[in-house]
Amino acid sequence: MKLKFKAVLAAAVTALTICAFTAGCTDKPEENNTPDYGTLSIDDLKVFITQDRSCTFAEIQPVFSKPEKAESLTYTYDTSSIKIEGNTVTPVKREDKEVNVRAKSEHFNVVFKVEIEYLKFAEDSSGLYDLSRFDVAQRAELCKEATANTTLFIGDSFMDNHFIGEYMRSFAQGKDVLHAGISSTTSYHWEAAYSTVIGSTAPKNIVMHVGTNNFYDVHDLTSDTQDSLTRLFMLMHSKYPSSNIYWFNITQRSDTSYAQNVSETNVYMAEWCAKYDWITCVDTCSKVTTAMLGDGVHPTTENYKVFTDALVEAGCGITEK
C-alpha cells in the first residue's frame, strides 16, 4: 500500500510539472502594451551678435523619428543669454558662450546646445574684415541723405560710382535713390561696414550686389561665402527691420575659374531668401551674358538696365521725389 501511494504521488507531481511548462496552461506571459513614441533629435545651433547688438537668428528643427507621434515642446534655457520665440533663437548677451537648452514634452526630453559668437570685427586677425583700405567714411557721408523713402544701392564695385555712376545719372533722375558701393569688397567687409555706411536711418529698400570677390579675390569656400551672406543679411535685418532687402545674385564673369562656386551659391541663396518676406533674391545672373560685360566683370553702362528692370519686376517700389 505504501508503494502504491508513492506511485500515485509521483504521478501527480509529474502532471503538475508538465502543466507548468505546457502552453495549454491558463497562465500566459504579460504583453507590453506601451506605445512606441520613437525618438526626438535636435541639432546644435549657432548665433552671432555684434557690438551694437545686431544679431543673427537660428531655427530649431525638431526631428521626430515617428512624425505621427510629434508633440509640442517646451524649452528651458538661460534667458539672460538667449531668447526663443516659437522655434527661433536669438542671442541676448554679447559674449562667447554655449547655452544648454532642454526641449521637453510628455514623452520626450532632449538637450541641445546654442553657441553664441560675439563678433568683434576690429579685433579679427584673419584680415577678412579689414576695412582700412576702403573709404567707408565717404560712403557714410553720402548715405546721410537717405530717408525712410530712399532706395539705397550698396555692395561691391557693381554698385560703386566708378561703374554704375553714369547709369545712375539718368536712372535716378526724379527718384529717391542713392548708391554707395565700394570696389573690391566682399560680404565679409560688408558685415563689418554696413551699419557705418547706412547710418541711423533705415532706408525703404537696401539693394546689394556682393559675393563675387569672395571667390575671385579671397578664393573662399562656397559654404563659407554662403554663411557670410546669410549672416550679413540677418544682421542687416536685425539692424533695419523695416527695410526691404534685395540681393542681386552673383554675376558670372568671363573668367570661369569660380563659375561652379557662383552657381552653387546663387542656388543656395535663392532657396534661403525664399523662406523670408523681408529679403528677395533678384536673378540677374541668368539675364547677363558675357557680351554685356565691358571688362569681363562689370556690365556696360547701358546693360545696368537689366539690373534695375529685374529689381522692379521683383517688387521693389522706388519712390519718386
Side-chain angles (χ1 to χ4, degrees):
M1 289 297 293
K2 289 182 179 178
L3 290 173
K4 189 179 288 187
F5 175 75
K6 288 182 178 178
V8 171
L9 182 62
V13 171
T14 303
L16 285 170
T17 304
I18 292 169
C19 180
F21 290 94
T22 301
C25 291
T26 55
D27 289 339
K28 295 182 180 180
E30 277 189 23
E31 293 181 8
N32 184 2
N33 294 319
T34 305
D36 180 6
Y37 284 87
T39 60
L40 165 66
S41 60
I42 300 176
D43 288 341
D44 294 340
L45 302 172
K46 186 171 185 176
V47 289
F48 299 84
I49 190 167
T50 64
Q51 189 171 6
D52 68 357
R53 295 190 184 277
S54 298
C55 64
T56 67
F57 58 84
E59 291 165 314
I60 303 169
Q61 296 181 320
V63 177
F64 295 90
S65 63
K66 292 180 177 291
E68 70 277 9
K69 298 292 186 181
E71 297 178 349
S72 296
L73 300 170
T74 299
Y75 300 109
T76 306
Y77 55 91
D78 177 3
T79 56
S80 70
S81 295
I82 61 172
K83 179 171 66 175
I84 299 178
E85 292 181 334
N87 276 357
T88 302
V89 184
T90 51
V92 173
K93 192 178 289 185
R94 292 173 295 184
E95 61 182 349
D96 294 317
K97 187 176 181 179
E98 278 192 352
V99 181
N100 287 329
V101 179
R102 183 174 296 279
K104 193 173 182 180
S105 66
E106 184 180 357
H107 298 100
F108 299 98
N109 189 349
V110 299
V111 174
F112 63 96
K113 293 183 185 298
V114 175
E115 179 185 353
I116 304 170
E117 183 174 334
Y118 180 17
L119 295 171
K120 304 169 191 170
F121 300 119
E123 298 176 20
D124 179 73
S125 60
S126 68
L128 289 173
Y129 297 100
D130 181 13
L131 301 174
S132 59
R133 62 193 176 99
F134 304 117
D135 197 345
V136 173
Q138 189 265 344
R139 279 22 175 236
E141 191 65 29
L142 286 173
C143 291
K144 286 181 179 179
E145 298 178 23
T147 71
N149 291 317
T150 300
T151 296
L152 176 62
F153 291 77
I154 56 175
D156 54 32
S157 53
F158 279 67
M159 303 294 113
D160 190 300
N161 188 63
H162 181 77
F163 293 97
I164 200 174
E166 186 178 345
Y167 177 77
M168 279 295 181
R169 278 190 281 278
S170 59
F171 173 77
Q173 283 280 338
K175 300 182 183 74
D176 194 343
V177 167
L178 293 172
H179 62 280
I182 306 175
S183 289
S184 299
T185 50
T186 67
S187 59
Y188 299 106
H189 294 126
W190 280 99
E191 285 184 64
Y194 80 90
S195 60
T196 302
V197 171
I198 297 174
S200 58
T201 301
K204 178 181 180 181
N205 303 305
I206 301 171
V207 183
M208 293 199 80
H209 186 289
V210 69
T212 183
N213 298 318
N214 287 52
F215 297 122
Y216 285 88
D217 291 354
V218 178
H219 314 296
D220 210 3
L221 295 175
T222 303
S223 58
D224 288 346
T225 288
Q226 292 167 358
D227 288 344
S228 176
L229 286 168
T230 55
R231 187 167 55 242
L232 166 62
F233 295 136
M234 285 189 280
L235 291 172
M236 196 176 285
H237 176 62
S238 172
K239 179 77 173 178
Y240 306 107
S242 64
S243 299
N244 304 304
I245 301 173
Y246 294 87
W247 178 68
F248 293 122
N249 60 1
I250 304 172
T251 305
Q252 293 284 10
R253 302 188 183 195
S254 57
D255 174 0
T256 58
S257 302
Y258 292 93
Q260 185 64 30
N261 307 71
V262 169
S263 294
E264 290 175 5
T265 300
N266 285 347
V267 169
Y268 177 88
M269 290 303 298
E271 293 174 354
W272 185 83
C273 292
K275 296 190 290 185
Y276 308 107
D277 60 4
W278 47 268
I279 185 167
T280 302
C281 175
V282 183
D283 176 26
T284 43
C285 180
S286 66
K287 299 176 174 67
V288 177
T289 66
T290 47
M292 297 177 177
L293 306 176
D295 58 0
V297 178
H298 307 91
T300 57
T301 297
E302 63 273 16
N303 285 315
Y304 267 104
K305 188 175 187 301
V306 173
F307 289 80
T308 53
D309 284 354
L311 183 64
V312 173
E313 287 170 15
C316 181
I318 298 176
T319 304
E320 300 288 327
K321 281 186 177 178

